[in-house]
């Protein structure tokens, strides 16, 4: 299956987004972008303003020739999804995710 060079991975917290993203990135030789890292990179753990976060994400993604991006930040979904070649949705049963 050809997923392309720009892939997004969605799923609820604890569903394995980062693990799956890293596996895809390794197999396809793509950079893995964890939105949590870009969102929470401030030392005081305060949420950044929406526009600052959007700029941070878009600047990071545009600097890469290909990527696997994981995270469920609705404030950037409308920016990232149109750039993606494929989307992976992890839909696991509640008891598997939240045990």
């Amino acid at each position: 299956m050809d997923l392309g060079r720009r892939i997004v991975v969605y799923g609820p917290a604890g569903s394995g987004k980062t693990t799956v993203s890293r596996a895809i990135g390794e197999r396809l030789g793509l950079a893995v972008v964890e939105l949590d890292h870009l969102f929470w990179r401030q030392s005081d753990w305060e949420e950044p303003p929406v526009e600052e976060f959007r700029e941070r994400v878009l600047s990071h993604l545009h600097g890469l020739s290909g990527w696997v991006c994981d995270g469920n930040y609705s404030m950037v979904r409308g920016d990232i999804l149109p750039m993606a070649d494929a989307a992976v949705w992890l839909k696991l049963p509640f008891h598997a995710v939240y045990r």
Side-chain angles (χ1 to χ4, degrees):
M1 174 186 318
D2 181 14
L3 295 177
R5 298 202 43 80
R6 293 177 309 268
I7 303 158
V8 293
V9 179
Y10 295 124
S15 63
K17 292 181 300 294
T18 300
T19 301
V20 169
S21 295
R22 288 178 182 168
I24 293 170
E26 184 177 318
R27 179 164 288 189
L28 299 179
L30 299 171
V32 177
V33 178
E34 297 176 38
L35 293 182
D36 281 343
H37 177 74
L38 294 175
F39 189 82
W40 296 112
R41 79 178 202 190
Q42 295 173 325
S43 60
D44 56 8
W45 288 88
E46 280 191 33
E47 292 186 18
V50 172
E51 280 308 309
E52 180 183 320
F53 179 54
R54 286 183 71 228
E55 286 177 28
R56 194 181 296 167
V57 169
L58 294 175
S59 172
H60 193 79
L61 294 179
H62 286 304
L64 300 169
S65 61
W67 41 261
V68 182
C69 185
D70 81 60
N72 282 332
Y73 290 88
S74 60
M75 63 191 83
V76 292
R77 188 175 301 133
D79 298 309
I80 297 170
L81 195 53
M83 295 174 10
D85 298 319
V88 175
W89 183 264
L90 302 176
K91 186 177 179 185
L92 300 168
F94 181 85
H95 69 275
V97 174
Y98 294 101
R99 59 180 164 143

